Amino acid sequence: MFESLPDKVSIYEVSPRDGLQNEAAPIPLAAKQRLVDALLAAGIERLELTSFVSPRWVPQLADADELVRGVSARPGVTLSALCPNAKGFERARAVGLHEIAVFLSASETHNKKNTNKTVDQSIDTFSDVVPPALEAGMRVRAYVSTVWGCPYEGDVDPARSLAITQRLLALGCYQVSLGDTIGVGTPLQTRRLCQLFLAEVPADKIALHLHDTRGTALANALVGLELGVRDFDSSVAGLGGCPYAPGAAGNLATEDLVFMLHGMGIATGIDLEALIEAGRVAEAVTGRRLPGKVHQAGSFKLRG
Ligand code: HMG
Ligand code: MG
């Protein structure tokens, strides 16, 4: 192990979207803005701000347009948002985003519950999103959810997730983020999945989006890292979950990932102390104790 570690890893922060979408109590726009500002101040370089989805499906993110309009990020920062359809794309374009993310699930039941579509219908819908977005000069990322397991169907055939990934890349998505939506993945399964994907797809086209529901997200990230994955999604303080995936609590905490990577000599561009501050803001914004380990324990400095 640890023979092919990189100098730098790219972290894609999802807390304002994957985190806040799952909060039951309404969170005021100003509080969301405080979280976004704190994340940007910590050096986050890629940030998923919100979703341009139906406000009836995800009321918490109904203020997406206003939130994006109010964000000012330093040059070089990529801001993105989820877009399920052409209407979402138009909203994203109107507020000046340069990147969006389409999403679907590898399992039919979760896809239906999350987007009211079959997998084929979702991919058809993306034909109305990805080409126009590329023409408008935007970049498009994609998610495939339930790759490690589905809350409704159980095991998911990895070959199915790979075939969907290849269709998304062929459509023009620059990267596909593979979701362990309900945090059921274990390291050996992650190794098999990464080996399967990396045999067919260049490593920079793959990201891992790991939920830490059962405490295995960091172990799975380490397996991906060792096999050549360089892009990881995470959420400050471990905020996160999908409202249409029962039990999908908590993304991989960004502080935990950054602590591990920095400790291994791998740069992220993020200031860990400032990130821990952003985690405190996340806790204040949500009004509840958040699960991230480094968030709770703090960082560690050797004493002289
Ligand atoms: P639908 O009800 O089938 O949509 O929902 P529709 O096209 O029939 O439209 C119904 C109404 O919604 C219409 O309004 C549309 O205008 C409106 P009405 O005429 O009735 O007043 N509408 C919209 N409004 C604003 N923005 C839009 C939009 N689209 C339609 N973009 C739809 C289909 C896909 C819209 C719906 O199912 C939806 O919004 N789903 C989103 C669910 C969601 O956000 N889930 C969480 C994110 S996924 C996730 O968390 C997993 C991930 O983290 C990876 C992982 O962990 O694995 C990404
Ligand atoms: Mg997620």
Side-chain angles (χ1 to χ4, degrees):
M1 251 191 134
F2 307 138
E3 274 141 31
S4 56
L5 295 179
D7 296 332
K8 182 158 188 203
V9 151
S10 177
I11 293 184
Y12 182 93
E13 170 70 29
V14 296
S15 54
R17 194 279 302 171
D18 207 347
L20 298 186
Q21 73 181 10
N22 208 37
E23 291 297 314
I27 296 177
L29 179 64
K32 295 177 182 176
Q33 286 166 333
R34 278 207 309 282
L35 174 61
V36 167
D37 289 345
L39 291 166
L40 292 172
I44 293 288
E45 292 167 359
R46 300 167 78 200
L47 181 56
E48 195 165 86
L49 287 171
T50 185
S51 300
F52 292 104
V53 295
S54 160
R56 273 198 278 133
W57 283 64
V58 185
Q60 183 65 265
L61 303 184
D63 57 6
D65 312 72
E66 236 181 317
L67 178 76
V68 176
R69 276 205 192 92
V71 175
S72 64
R74 64 191 184 282
V77 172
T78 299
L79 302 174
S80 189
L82 284 194
C83 289
N85 53 21
K87 185 160 188 175
F89 157 62
E90 288 303 342
R91 290 173 64 198
R93 180 161 65 170
V95 296
L97 275 187
H98 298 296
E99 182 168 316
I100 54 173
V102 295
F103 60 102
L104 84 174
S105 314
S107 53
E108 289 290 352
T109 316
H110 184 260
N111 201 55
K112 188 77 181 170
K113 295 218 186 253
N114 200 35
T115 66
N116 201 24
K117 290 181 181 57
T118 65
V119 167
D120 281 341
Q121 284 168 342
S122 282
I123 294 177
D124 282 351
T125 302
F126 300 159
S127 305
D128 302 331
V129 176
V130 184
L134 297 177
E135 258 167 58
M138 294 160 94
R139 300 213 311 159
V140 185
R141 200 173 190 246
Y143 286 100
V144 180
S145 291
T146 65
V147 172
W148 279 254
C150 170
Y152 307 103
E153 296 178 19
D155 290 344
V156 176
D157 180 2
R160 198 181 148 78
S161 303
L162 176 60
I164 294 171
T165 297
Q166 286 169 321
R167 290 171 76 183
L168 293 167
L169 292 173
L171 204 54
C173 298
Y174 77 90
Q175 184 170 73
V176 176
S177 186
L178 306 175
D180 183 5
T181 315
I182 52 169
V184 288
T186 55
L188 191 55
Q189 182 190 14
T190 303
R191 187 170 77 172
R192 290 187 182 130
L193 274 170
C194 288
Q195 284 171 336
L196 175 76
F197 275 75
L198 295 172
E200 303 293 332
V201 177
D204 65 342
K205 305 253 176 244
I206 297 295
L208 298 185
H209 178 99
L210 302 163
H211 283 255
D212 199 27
T213 320
R214 293 170 182 78
T216 54
L218 196 58
N220 290 329
L222 185 59
V223 169
L225 183 72
E226 173 65 11
L227 291 171
V229 177
R230 301 294 177 250
D231 291 82
F232 296 90
D233 301 358
S234 60
S235 176
V236 79
L239 195 60
C242 172
Y244 295 98
N251 288 73
L252 169 59
T254 311
E255 299 94 319
D256 297 2
L257 180 62
V258 168
F259 178 82
M260 181 185 81
L261 292 171
H262 288 187
M264 294 169 72
I266 300 169
T268 62
I270 295 170
D271 174 339
L272 180 57
E273 295 304 329
L275 186 65
I276 290 171
E277 267 312 307
R280 291 197 187 108
V281 174
E283 200 154 74
V285 160
T286 56
R288 63 190 180 89
R289 190 166 187 258
L290 295 175
K293 295 281 191 215
V294 174
H295 166 70
Q296 290 179 14
S299 63
F300 173 74
K301 285 188 192 72
L302 286 174
R303 286 181 203 95

